[in-house]
């Protein structure tokens, strides 16, 4: 509720049109991915890959290449040969909230025709308590009573884990002026499709004989590991240094 209330207040006080949601507002997500939150925002349409990963997004009908993604206001680089930043390999555990900016103010750049997604990292200085621990442990299991490829049956269990630590310190004679946040994430997301191809004689007559048959089994295990460390030092009332 604390993050949800802060998101509503920021949206209400904004000078432009934008939506703000807390990352934990949607509860436990299947892959703990940023894209799983973004795809639920109004005016956003996700373009899933063949494996169901949400990485590219259209905002207000504009293609992903015409939108920008920022982290704490800093532009996120694109990946591959495209002009869009992909969120498929960005986990949501290190972010506090996400802003969907649909109406830019005149002082912003003109590189986002549809809108901008701004991912805000967790700020330990915003905590009410001194110290906070968080953890999430999960397993994906391929039950044997469903059909699977042979490779999938050899590796039926895959983990999804996250650990977070935040603490506020008093340094150099100040009070609650140094905050440290650490986030550890590990995930295995398995895709194991199988396909069969039948090539028949090119004729309208029946029966057409089968001249080529192929079968293919695949096993793609996407392993994701990340360590995020953030330190904040409040130099003055309106000045904060972030590493």
């Amino acid at each position: 509720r604390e993050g949800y209330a802060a998101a509503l207040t920021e949206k209400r006080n904004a000078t432009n049109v934008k939506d703000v949601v807390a990352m934990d507002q949607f509860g436990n997500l299947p892959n703990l991915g940023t894209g799983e939150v973004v795809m639920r925002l109004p005016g956003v349409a996700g373009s899933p890959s063949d494996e169901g990963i949400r990485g590219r997004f259209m905002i207000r009908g504009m293609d992903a290449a015409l939108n920008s993604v920022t982290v704490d206001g800093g532009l996120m680089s694109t990946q591959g040969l495209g002009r869009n930043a992909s969120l498929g390999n960005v986990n949501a555990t290190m972010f506090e909230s996400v802003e969907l900016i649909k109406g830019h103010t005149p002082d912003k750049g003109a590189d986002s025709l549809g809108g901008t997604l701004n991912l805000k990292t967790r700020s330990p200085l915003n905590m009410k308590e001194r110290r906070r621990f968080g953890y999430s442990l999960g397993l994906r299991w391929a039950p044997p009573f469903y059909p699977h490829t042979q490779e999938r049956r050899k590796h039926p269990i895959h983990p999804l884990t996250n650990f977070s630590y935040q603490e506020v310190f008093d340094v150099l004679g100040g009070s609650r002026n140094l905050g440290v946040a650490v986030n550890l994430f590990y995930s295995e997301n398995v895709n194991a499709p199988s396909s069969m191809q039948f090539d028949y004689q090119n004729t309208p007559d029946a029966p057409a004989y089968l001249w080529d048959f192929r079968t293919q089994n695949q096993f793609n295990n996407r392993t994701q590991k990340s360590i995020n460390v953030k330190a904040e030092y409040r130099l003055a009332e309106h000045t904060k240094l972030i590493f």
Side-chain angles (χ1 to χ4, degrees):
R1 288 181 299 179
E2 178 182 331
Y4 181 55
L8 284 178
T9 302
E10 185 176 350
K11 178 180 177 180
R12 185 181 298 115
N13 297 335
T15 58
N16 55 344
V17 180
K18 68 178 180 180
D19 290 291
V20 185
V21 296
M23 277 296 185
D24 53 3
Q25 182 176 335
F26 296 98
N28 296 322
L29 302 172
N31 298 304
L32 297 180
T34 306
E36 296 176 272
V37 175
V38 173
M39 65 178 286
R40 289 169 168 82
L41 297 178
V44 177
S47 300
S49 64
D50 294 337
E51 300 176 25
I53 298 176
R54 267 70 177 178
R56 300 178 72 256
F57 298 92
M58 293 186 297
I59 302 177
R60 297 194 304 119
M62 297 291 181
D63 186 74
L66 302 176
N67 308 309
S68 63
V69 179
T70 59
V71 178
D72 291 332
L75 189 63
M76 183 177 175
S77 64
T78 61
Q79 292 133 26
L81 301 178
R83 292 180 176 269
N84 62 283
S86 177
L87 299 179
N89 57 353
V90 180
N91 68 78
T93 57
M94 63 177 178
F95 299 115
E96 189 174 60
S97 62
V98 57
E99 295 178 330
L100 172 59
I101 304 172
K102 300 178 182 178
H104 281 287
T105 53
D107 59 314
K108 302 299 182 180
D111 57 348
S112 304
L113 295 181
T116 296
L117 290 171
N118 182 39
L119 308 175
K120 303 179 69 174
T121 56
R122 298 188 181 275
S123 176
L125 293 181
N126 292 338
M127 293 193 307
K128 292 182 178 180
E129 62 268 42
R130 280 278 181 175
R131 185 184 300 113
R132 180 184 298 176
F133 289 97
Y135 63 92
S136 174
L137 304 174
L139 292 174
R140 292 188 180 90
W141 174 53
F145 46 83
Y146 279 104
H148 299 289
T149 62
Q150 187 63 30
E151 293 83 0
R152 189 72 171 100
R153 292 192 179 278
K154 293 179 181 178
H155 305 85
I157 298 178
H158 297 269
L160 174 66
T161 62
N162 181 72
F163 171 79
S164 62
Y165 157 75
Q166 300 179 74
E167 189 166 355
V168 181
F169 302 91
D170 301 331
V171 297
L172 301 178
S175 175
R176 298 179 59 92
N177 56 348
L178 176 64
V180 177
V182 180
N183 193 86
L184 308 177
F185 179 80
Y186 181 82
S187 170
E188 292 184 6
N189 195 1
V190 178
N191 182 43
S194 61
S195 62
M196 291 186 293
Q197 178 178 330
F198 298 85
D199 284 339
Y200 290 90
Q201 177 188 8
N202 188 14
T203 176
D205 301 329
Y209 65 84
L210 177 69
W211 64 273
D212 189 22
F213 169 75
R214 304 182 187 187
T215 180
Q216 184 179 31
N217 293 330
Q218 302 178 32
F219 182 79
N220 183 16
N221 184 10
R222 291 187 177 270
T223 302
Q224 184 177 349
K225 294 172 283 187
S226 66
I227 301 176
N228 303 286
V229 180
K230 181 180 182 180
E232 295 180 322
Y233 177 69
R234 194 180 302 280
L235 190 63
E237 182 181 359
H238 300 290
T239 303
K240 191 164 60 174
L241 304 178
I242 301 175
F243 173 74

